[in-house]
Amino acid sequence: RSLESLAVLRAAGYSGLVRADEGLYTYNDAAEKFLDGLGIRKNTAPAELNKKELFSRYCGRSELIVFGYQPLMVSAQCLRRNISSCDHLSQVQQLTDRTGKNFPVKSECVFCYNVLYNSTVLSLLDEAGTIKRMGFSSVRLAFTLENAETVRETAELAVKNFIYGKNLKYSQPHTKGHFNR
């Protein structure tokens, strides 16, 4: 997830495959070559890229997140301690913005930080044909807040669309992020 994580792996003697998460930015060839020089052979395409930008970059060593709540912010302050008190048990709370949208906040109490997620889940499941033409080596379903039934249904839909070539729609409210911008 970061160059610091890579340094920890290397210091521990790990020499296997390392895949950069989307936080290690690979918008252009120069960024990818830099990471390759550090021994990172696989990467995750940045969420900020749209369809045109994804088509213009080499995606053969990249993974694309096609489903999941996108993190908007990581906070080092304990949200629960600021509201009431923290019992050091990880859980999900909601922050409501001025328009009434609820944003999930997942407390990671072991390391004392919070992740604020988008109010609407990202789903590119019905873009499977386009994404396959981009040449990605893999796609990722990034489950964070979903219940078991949603995980099962989403995984089945992903298999039908990405493996069997269907074009089935994700039926829940969702966003396509920057994909069509």
Side-chain angles (χ1 to χ4, degrees), residues 13 16 20 30 65 73 86 99 117 122 129 144 152 155 160 173:
I65 297 173
M73 180 176 67
C86 183
T99 66
Y117 291 95
L122 170 80
T144 52
R152 185 187 62 73
K160 288 175 184 174

Side-chain angles (χ1 to χ4, degrees), residues 4 6 14 30 40 51-52 57 71 78 81 100-101 110 123 127 131 136 143 154:
E4 292 84 3
L6 179 63
Y14 180 79
I40 298 174
K51 187 184 327 183
K52 180 180 176 187
R57 84 190 273 282
C78 181
R81 188 178 317 140
K101 286 187 180 178
V110 172
S123 177
E127 298 285 351
I131 291 167
F136 281 94
F143 297 117
T154 304

